[in-house]
């Protein structure tokens, strides 16, 4: 799976291939032109929400930005073979990275879900800003404690606990108890 630098390059490549200007992509995705420019030029670590908006505006799956190879048959990822794909922030465009995503199906062509192992580092309460995007998410806690702000509610999950929710509702996932956590996350963003 490519680095976040390659994600920006792929966005720019697809945008230019389709003859779409940054201004037009900004209008279609309801994002700032500067935000798109900074993603394409690797100056910021984007959250998933703007990436999903960009993917929809370009008419591609979210996974298109994260794929290396595409395989038609099943994709098997053995223990220890996950590759770090990208780091995302969930506060704003200039926030520090506190989540590392390890793709589990980056080679699968035509997939509709994005499964990841996500390692989450604790952060400041100020980092926890809610975001929303179309789709659904499933989270299974593997290690540590995870707090999920979902609308006006807060859910505290421990190893073995899971949650499935609509991503259109404002939400935030972060490490709880000021300790590292690891989750299995499956994200579905409709095309």
């Amino acid at each position: 799976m490519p680095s976040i630098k390659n994600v920006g390059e792929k966005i720019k490549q697809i945008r230019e291939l389709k003859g779409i200007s940054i201004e037009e992509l900004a209008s279609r995705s309801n994002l700032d032109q500067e935000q798109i420019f900074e993603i394409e030029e690797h100056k910021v670590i984007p959250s998933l929400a703007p990436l999903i908006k960009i993917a929809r505006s370009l008419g591609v799956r979210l996974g298109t930005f994260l794929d290396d190879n595409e395989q038609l048959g099943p994709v098997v990822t053995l223990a220890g073979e996950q590759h770090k794909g990208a780091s995302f922030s969930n506060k704003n465009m200039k926030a520090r990275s506190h989540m590392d995503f390890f793709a589990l199906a980056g080679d699968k062509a035509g997939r509709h879900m994005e499964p990841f192992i996500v390692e989450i580092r604790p952060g400041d309460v100020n980092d926890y800003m809610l975001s929303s995007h179309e789709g659904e998410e499933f989270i299974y806690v593997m290690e540590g404690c995870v707090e999920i702000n979902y609308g006006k509610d807060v859910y505290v999950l421990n190893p073995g606990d899971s949650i499935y929710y609509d991503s259109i509702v404002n939400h935030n996932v972060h490490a709880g108890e000021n300790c590292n956590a690891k989750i299995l996350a499956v994200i579905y963003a409709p095309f």
Side-chain angles (χ1 to χ4, degrees), residues 114-160:
E114 301 294 337
F116 299 98
I117 297 293
V118 184
E119 294 177 351
I120 309 170
R121 293 176 297 282
D124 297 328
V125 173
N126 296 341
D127 287 343
Y128 305 148
M129 302 223 16
L130 302 176
S131 66
S132 68
H133 52 86
E134 290 188 47
E136 302 170 348
E137 295 182 30
F138 170 79
I139 293 173
Y140 176 85
V141 180
M142 299 169 65
E143 297 174 10
C145 175
V146 175
E147 290 184 4
I148 296 152
N149 295 75
Y150 184 75
K152 295 180 181 180
D153 298 318
V154 176
Y155 298 91
V156 178
L157 303 179
N158 293 295

Side-chain angles (χ1 to χ4, degrees), residues 43-189:
K43 294 182 178 185
V44 296
I45 300 171
S47 69
L48 283 173
L51 289 180
I52 290 170
K53 289 178 181 180
I54 291 170
R56 289 185 57 87
S57 299
L58 291 174
V60 298
R61 295 177 300 104
L62 171 64
T64 302
F65 303 145
L66 308 173
D67 295 344
D68 266 342
N69 301 310
E70 294 200 347
Q71 184 172 319
L72 296 175
V75 172
V76 176
T77 303
L78 301 176
E81 290 184 353
Q82 303 95 343
H83 299 286
K84 184 174 178 184
S87 296
F88 297 101
S89 160
N90 69 352
K91 179 183 177 193
N92 61 41
M93 294 304 298
K94 298 193 186 234
R96 67 178 175 78
S97 167
H98 71 280
M99 296 178 134
D100 293 325
F101 287 66
F102 297 83
L104 298 177
D107 293 340
K108 175 67 176 145
R111 67 187 180 276
H112 299 285
M113 301 180 295
E114 301 294 337
F116 299 98
I117 297 293
V118 184
E119 294 177 351
I120 309 170
R121 293 176 297 282
D124 297 328
V125 173
N126 296 341
D127 287 343
Y128 305 148
M129 302 223 16
L130 302 176
S131 66
S132 68
H133 52 86
E134 290 188 47
E136 302 170 348
E137 295 182 30
F138 170 79
I139 293 173
Y140 176 85
V141 180
M142 299 169 65
E143 297 174 10
C145 175
V146 175
E147 290 184 4
I148 296 152
N149 295 75
Y150 184 75
K152 295 180 181 180
D153 298 318
V154 176
Y155 298 91
V156 178
L157 303 179
N158 293 295
D161 296 341
S162 66
I163 186 171
Y164 188 116
Y165 55 85
D166 293 314
S167 310
I168 197 71
V169 175
N170 284 330
H171 62 280
N172 177 280
V173 177
H174 55 273
E177 298 178 353
N178 205 30
C179 294
N180 292 338
K182 184 187 282 188
I183 62 174
L184 166 66
V186 181
I187 299 168
Y188 166 72

